Amino acid sequence: MRLVSLTMLMPDMVLAKSIYYRDCLVLKEGTSDLERYTNSLKRLGIDYLYIEDAKSYGIEIPDAISEETRLMCKQVLRQTIEEFSTRAVIDIQEMSAAVNSIIDEILANPDVQISLNDIGATDEYTFTHSVSTTVYSLIIATKLGYTRSMLEKLGTGALLHDMGKILLDNKVINKAGKLDENEFEHVKKHTVLGYEALKRCVNLTELSRIISLYHHERMDGQGYPTGTPAAQLHEFTRIVAIADVYDALVSDRCYRKKWSSNQAVNYLVEHTETQFDLQLVSVLIKQIAIYPNGSMVRMSDHTIGIIKEQNKNFPLRPFVRIVADGWGNEITPYEIDMMKVLSITIIESELEMSWDSQSGSYETV
Ligand SMILES: [Fe+2]
């Protein structure tokens, strides 16, 4: 299995993971002849697909939680938000069940690894992002040895952290370009608005609520809405701040293409102490696959490969299936264990490559 952009679909590719839009199945796993769905998927704001082809056959992409749990959590969050906008109530029981399913799966898999990010339609971003932020937050917290009760409080607050966005102007939230000063001031309000909304939910604990209020505060006190140095705030808010930014960076946004895991990790590391808590960043990045399975890479001998499997404890030296030579020409695939071929390194990661039928070679997009 591997992840490809819609612009790179080829006739031999078969859909490896079903596509959902607003909780409805739109394209089932196993669907072939994918190019004919390109325009419909584009209209839905879906830009990437998990596919299976001869080159990626047998490669598995692990996910921290199951597809069913992800879908269920998105569904519960959507219902919660819809119910909140019509009746101003939040069903904490359903929310709690969703969070507990994530906790169960993370606890059952102590070697959990953060691989390629969840994909979803552009207008579904808040749901996809909130679930992924919750998963990353809970991964950090389980590594810190949090109790079940604290995991539940953190998870519920993380799932609702951007709740205030539903009270903002949609045009600003989905704006494709850079926000002007007024628009940015408007977006900042989602923290206070979210917290005020959650205060009306009596079954929610204050520890869950403050995540919404403080998840944009920074270590240097340059964040918003209060400018409080994050070290003075509850650890929950510092955990979600990191998970929130990591997920945003590795997601495709209307104004920017997604970053590779490698770039996002570098960003977190470069901004420790100014934005993020160093100790918490180091906990998260130990769980991130720098070169995720199923992603395309360029090697130092210029051959092109697909990451096949991780080498435990050596994230920079995975197993790679080499599929093209230095000129991008397809070759009979062969696999290398980078722990045994120490002269070769990876020089570019998460490449997006398309097949140029005229030259008969792969080209970087
Ligand atoms: Fe936010």
Side-chain angles (χ1 to χ4, degrees):
M1 191 194 299
R2 63 192 176 110
L3 184 67
V4 297
S5 148
L6 274 192
T7 54
M8 291 158 211
L9 291 177
M10 303 221 337
D12 65 331
M13 293 176 179
V14 172
L15 190 67
K17 271 191 187 182
S18 298
I19 306 275
Y20 293 84
Y21 181 72
R22 302 199 174 190
D23 309 328
C24 297
L25 178 69
V26 288
L27 217 52
K28 203 170 181 299
E29 180 185 327
T31 304
S32 53
D33 202 2
L34 292 166
E35 279 160 294
R36 67 194 156 122
Y37 301 105
T38 307
N39 289 335
S40 321
L41 291 168
K42 251 200 161 70
R43 273 198 296 277
L44 292 179
I46 291 166
D47 296 321
Y48 290 87
L49 301 177
Y50 281 101
I51 60 94
E52 195 83 74
D53 61 358
K55 280 186 266 315
S56 63
Y57 185 74
I59 295 178
E60 285 176 24
I61 303 178
D63 194 352
I65 60 164
S66 64
E67 189 69 24
E68 296 75 44
T69 299
R70 256 186 213 283
L71 281 171
M72 186 267 282
C73 290
K74 279 192 229 178
Q75 203 170 2
V76 167
L77 188 59
R78 180 195 310 285
Q79 281 163 5
T80 304
I81 286 180
E82 278 172 5
E83 221 170 68
F84 176 77
S85 25
T86 53
R87 295 173 40 220
V89 289
I90 293 173
D91 183 350
I92 200 68
Q93 252 176 338
E94 285 235 30
M95 187 68 80
S96 196
V99 168
N100 271 300
S101 310
I102 301 180
I103 297 172
D104 285 341
E105 292 192 18
I106 292 175
L107 288 177
N109 181 12
D111 289 333
V112 61
Q113 213 183 30
I114 298 166
S115 200
L116 288 170
N117 200 32
D118 188 24
I119 48 165
T122 318
D123 65 352
E124 298 265 87
Y125 177 72
T126 303
F127 305 112
T128 313
H129 168 67
S130 297
V131 174
S132 296
T133 301
T134 307
V135 172
Y136 301 150
S137 300
L138 288 170
I139 287 175
I140 297 174
T142 49
K143 294 291 162 196
L144 294 174
Y146 273 30
T147 61
R148 180 91 194 192
S149 147
M150 287 296 268
L151 291 174
E152 280 179 31
K153 291 184 179 96
L154 170 68
T156 311
L159 204 51
L160 293 166
H161 79 281
D162 266 345
M163 168 101 191
K165 284 195 176 161
I166 58 157
L167 301 164
L168 298 183
D169 183 350
N170 238 333
K171 269 196 271 162
V172 179
I173 295 290
N174 295 321
K175 186 178 169 181
K178 203 172 180 294
L179 299 180
D180 66 29
E181 208 177 312
N182 286 338
E183 289 165 335
F184 187 49
E185 286 306 315
H186 181 68
V187 170
K188 282 179 175 178
K189 288 184 186 156
H190 78 279
T191 49
V192 178
L193 291 174
Y195 177 65
E196 294 296 329
L198 297 179
K199 267 211 294 203
R200 294 206 292 275
C201 177
V202 286
N203 295 326
L204 208 61
T205 64
E206 184 64 7
L207 275 184
S208 299
R209 291 191 195 117
I210 55 161
I211 292 171
S212 164
L213 184 60
Y214 294 130
H215 69 277
H216 287 288
E217 299 292 1
R218 300 168 38 141
M219 295 299 279
D220 59 7
Q222 298 297 306
Y224 64 87
T226 63
T228 311
Q232 295 173 19
L233 299 169
H234 195 279
E235 191 169 64
F236 277 13
T237 64
R238 299 200 297 279
I239 291 176
V240 177
I242 294 167
D244 177 31
V245 170
Y246 179 76
D247 183 66
L249 292 176
V250 295
S251 302
D252 236 24
R253 301 303 309 277
C254 42
Y255 51 85
R256 155 181 72 65
K257 274 196 89 63
K258 67 191 180 81
W259 287 15
S260 68
S261 317
N262 204 353
Q263 289 170 309
V265 164
N266 284 339
Y267 181 89
L268 291 183
V269 173
E270 281 164 20
H271 292 85
T272 49
E273 298 313 325
T274 51
Q275 287 190 45
F276 312 115
D277 183 322
L278 170 65
Q279 193 222 336
L280 298 175
V281 167
S282 72
V283 172
L284 179 69
I285 63 180
K286 277 192 199 112
Q287 306 307 124
I288 295 174
I290 302 293
Y291 301 121
N293 288 12
S295 62
M296 273 191 141
V297 290
R298 193 185 301 281
M299 314 299 285
S300 52
D301 62 0
H302 299 286
T303 54
I304 293 160
I306 302 173
I307 302 296
K308 188 191 173 229
E309 203 180 321
Q310 303 294 310
N311 252 317
K312 211 177 169 197
N313 301 325
F314 297 97
L316 300 178
R317 307 206 68 82
F319 290 83
V320 186
R321 183 178 294 171
I322 306 295
V323 295
D325 65 17
W327 291 272
N329 300 314
E330 277 192 299
I331 53 170
T332 307
Y334 61 93
E335 286 173 13
I336 58 166
D337 172 357
M338 288 185 71
M339 283 306 287
K340 294 191 177 139
V341 194
L342 295 173
S343 57
I344 293 183
T345 55
I346 292 172
I347 56 169
E348 277 183 86
S349 63
E350 291 182 50
L351 293 175
E352 296 204 353
M353 313 211 60
S354 67
W355 177 253
D356 181 351
S357 49
Q358 265 184 340
S359 66
S361 62
Y362 281 98
E363 292 189 349
T364 315
V365 178

